[in-house]
Amino acid sequence: MRHGTITKDNHAALWSGRFKEGPDAAAVDFETSIYVDERMAFDDIQGSLAHAQMLSEAGLISRQEFSKIKAGLLSIKKDLESGKLKVDYSAEDIHSFIEATLTDRIGAAGKKLHTGRSRNDQIALDERIHLRRVVPQLQNKILSLIGTLAGLAQKNAAALMPGYTHMQHAQPVTLGQHLCAWAWSLERDWSRFEDALERIDLCPLGSGALAGSGLPLDRKLTAKLLQFSGPTPNSIDSVSDRDYCIEFTGAASLLQMHLSRFCEEIVLWATSEFNFINLSEKWSTGSSIMPQKKNPDFAELIRGRTGKVYGDLFNLLTMMKGLPLSYDRDLQEDKAPLFDALDTVSANLDVFEKMIASAAFNKERMAASCEDGFLNATDLADYLVRKGVPFREAHGISARAVRMAIEAGVRLEDLCLEEFQRCSKLIGEDVYELLSPAACAAARKTIGGTAPQRVKEQAAALKKIVLKRKKK
């Protein structure tokens, strides 16, 4: 195609006509956002293509001008993809760069692209298009991790380990149950992003600077062309709203919190004291001074980067808390924390899945740990409840038996029947078959419980969720 002439005017700031004197170089460097928003180049082109088509349909530009604009924008997209065209970092932002490059290529028709549009509604559109594109990718990573955890849970549905409350031995559970617990929290994370997508799915273009437009813009058509569910209902709110950024970053913070908790457990499990997990050497590091060390550094780094994502959320909340309606330049600062949260949780999901998929669990050590700490005390109380004893009384009887075992230096199940019957005459020989860790875990058959059959049901349900929700 025949390109237009590259001129200095094409690359001047869109607002420069008001000013006699150009901005100081340091001022330009301070206020530019292109280093951050360049990642939205293709989103900006997509929005501009729809806007140009709407302008043509509304009679605000000719069909010939629309054809030139469309061809020019597609050529820019192609050249950016191939690397033939490089982003000019002297431009104020990605919108200015694309519009200037377009005008260089097609001439005067390029200057008509901004008809009926402000950078205020343009950036709000670009962010929504970008999030609508990348959130499903992030959701698929969450589903992939859920699937990996569900697979591990199926393989370890009956593998015993201590369950903890207050970091003290509580009751026997299974490794499969614990891994399912991780997976269900991730399922909620997926749902939060899905909820956010619903509110992202409105088109702000046509709101102008804040008051709408006096030109006959067809906002419904623009929304339809961009496959939004509809236009945003209020032009002032449209250009000043950043709820969708905050909501995304809030969901990312919860996701990151969950990953951090998982990693904290992995760090504990990898210690010599626990010795529950052996991380692959591919996902461990050593020490520069201690030759024997094998450190869970990747789990620690994921845990350590949680503060970044929390900071991104509070950055956005603090930025927004005092802004009067409508648009304020403060809003330019929304993209750095938004993209940082996105990049951080995305990378952490990738690393965590590879780390946990390649790990080996020391199931013998986990099962042996169930022998200490009287994890079966509740089961003794439940045994008495089934014989008609009120639970509060059964609790006290079991506690006396535990005290007796502590004083004797033995496990609860090592007490003889005579000793048990000093606590309650209702205790019979059949109590012993109920006090092994495996029996304790198997007895918990309530929905969501740790019984192996229930764990397998949970893992199967999680796998169905993965298959049903996977996005193209």
Side-chain angles (χ1 to χ4, degrees):
M1 62 179 291
R2 189 167 63 101
H3 289 180
T5 303
I6 298 175
T7 70
K8 184 177 180 181
D9 287 345
N10 293 345
H11 292 261
L14 296 175
W15 43 263
S16 61
R18 157 68 174 78
F19 291 80
K20 180 179 179 181
E21 186 177 3
D24 185 89
V28 172
D29 185 62
F30 181 79
E31 61 96 32
T32 186
S33 65
I34 195 165
Y35 292 101
V36 179
D37 60 31
E38 66 170 311
R39 70 167 65 191
M40 294 190 295
F42 300 135
D43 307 304
D44 192 77
I45 290 171
Q46 182 183 354
S48 292
L49 285 167
H51 182 65
Q53 183 172 344
M54 182 277 296
L55 292 176
S56 175
E57 296 285 341
L60 292 168
I61 62 174
S62 69
R63 292 192 179 277
Q64 184 180 15
E65 288 169 330
F66 167 58
S67 295
K68 287 184 178 180
I69 290 171
K70 181 179 179 180
L73 288 171
L74 290 176
S75 74
I76 292 170
K77 181 175 184 289
K78 179 181 178 181
D79 289 349
L80 284 171
E81 288 173 333
S82 68
K84 183 179 179 181
L85 175 64
K86 302 295 183 182
V87 172
D88 178 8
Y89 294 110
S90 68
E92 189 175 15
D93 50 44
I94 195 64
H95 329 297
S96 302
F97 166 71
I98 289 173
E99 187 171 331
T101 304
L102 176 68
T103 306
D104 288 342
R105 293 188 175 195
I106 69 171
K111 296 180 180 181
K112 292 192 174 184
L113 177 59
H114 207 59
T115 303
R117 185 170 69 169
S118 165
R119 282 190 300 176
N120 295 359
D121 58 352
Q122 188 175 358
I123 184 55
L125 173 69
D126 288 2
E127 288 178 337
R128 287 173 182 264
I129 292 175
H130 187 77
L131 285 174
R132 196 178 56 175
R133 176 166 58 84
V134 299
V135 168
Q137 297 170 7
L138 186 66
Q139 287 179 295
N140 282 344
K141 290 188 178 188
I142 294 172
L143 290 175
S144 180
L145 177 52
I146 290 172
T148 294
L149 293 173
L152 289 171
Q154 284 179 324
K155 293 177 183 178
N156 296 282
L160 294 169
M161 67 176 289
Y164 296 86
T165 61
H166 309 280
M167 277 306 295
Q168 304 295 312
H169 280 204
Q171 293 177 331
V173 297
T174 64
L175 174 58
Q177 168 78 339
H178 199 103
L179 294 172
C180 282
W182 289 359
W184 285 116
S185 63
L186 293 168
E187 186 276 334
R188 294 192 300 275
D189 291 321
W190 186 96
S191 296
R192 272 184 281 271
F193 286 114
E194 190 72 2
D195 292 341
L197 279 173
E198 182 179 344
R199 282 173 285 281
I200 289 168
D201 192 30
L202 290 172
C203 181
L205 200 59
S207 298
L210 78 160
S213 178
L215 298 172
L217 307 182
D218 188 342
R219 292 195 62 208
K220 288 185 178 180
L221 175 59
T222 308
K224 181 179 179 181
L225 291 171
L226 290 169
Q227 297 183 317
F228 282 98
S229 61
T232 50
N234 182 282
S235 60
I236 294 177
D237 180 54
S238 297
V239 300
S240 58
D241 167 35
R242 291 299 184 271
D243 290 5
Y244 53 91
C245 296
I246 295 171
E247 189 169 5
F248 171 84
T249 312
S253 295
L254 279 165
L255 168 59
Q256 182 63 34
M257 178 268 289
H258 287 141
L259 292 174
S260 183
R261 293 185 73 183
F262 306 163
C263 287
E264 171 68 8
E265 292 191 311
I266 287 173
V267 170
L268 287 172
W269 291 355
T271 62
S272 300
E273 288 75 11
F274 274 80
N275 192 23
F276 284 1
I277 195 170
N278 183 20
L279 295 173
S280 167
E281 291 186 359
K282 293 180 179 180
W283 294 101
S284 305
T285 62
S287 166
S288 63
I289 189 171
M290 296 171 283
Q292 83 282 7
K293 292 297 292 298
K294 180 185 175 186
N295 299 325
D297 280 13
F298 295 93
E300 291 173 341
L301 285 168
I302 293 173
R303 184 181 61 184
R305 290 174 184 172
T306 304
K308 285 183 63 184
V309 182
Y310 289 0
D312 294 328
L313 174 60
F314 278 93
N315 186 335
L316 289 166
L317 287 168
T318 304
M319 179 192 75
M320 292 297 295
K321 70 151 183 89
L323 295 187
L325 299 178
S326 60
Y327 183 86
D328 301 277
R329 191 62 181 271
D330 312 48
L331 293 174
Q332 177 178 296
E333 299 301 302
D334 63 347
K335 289 173 284 297
L338 174 67
F339 296 152
D340 182 71
L342 168 64
D343 293 345
T344 301
V345 296
S346 181
N348 286 348
L349 283 167
D350 290 337
V351 169
F352 186 88
E353 182 173 4
K354 292 174 182 176
M355 179 178 65
I356 197 65
S358 61
F361 294 97
N362 187 345
K363 290 184 273 190
E364 293 77 13
R365 169 64 179 166
M366 286 180 164
S369 295
C370 293
E371 302 292 337
D372 302 319
F374 306 100
L375 281 75
N376 50 6
T378 305
D379 294 86
L380 176 57
D382 288 346
Y383 168 85
L384 291 165
V385 167
R386 285 193 290 270
K387 288 183 177 285
V389 179
F391 180 77
R392 287 301 172 201
E393 291 182 23
H395 185 285
I397 293 169
S398 182
R400 288 196 294 274
V402 168
R403 171 56 59 187
M404 186 182 294
I406 290 172
E407 291 172 352
V410 298
R411 299 175 304 171
L412 186 61
E413 59 268 37
D414 292 332
L415 293 175
C416 67
L417 183 59
E418 180 183 349
E419 289 171 313
F420 271 127
Q421 289 185 339
R422 287 182 207 162
C423 300
S424 172
K425 295 296 184 182
L426 292 173
I427 300 177
E429 286 281 358
D430 58 340
V431 74
Y432 292 102
E433 65 189 50
L434 303 175
L435 294 182
S436 71
C440 294
R444 284 165 168 75
K445 298 178 182 178
T446 49
I447 294 173
T450 201
Q453 67 191 68
R454 290 302 194 187
V455 173
K456 291 176 182 177
E457 290 171 2
Q458 289 182 57
L462 287 162
K463 286 194 167 185
K464 284 183 180 179
I465 286 171
V466 171
L467 291 174
K468 182 179 179 180
R469 296 181 180 177
K470 193 79 171 179
K471 298 186 176 183
K472 296 180 180 180

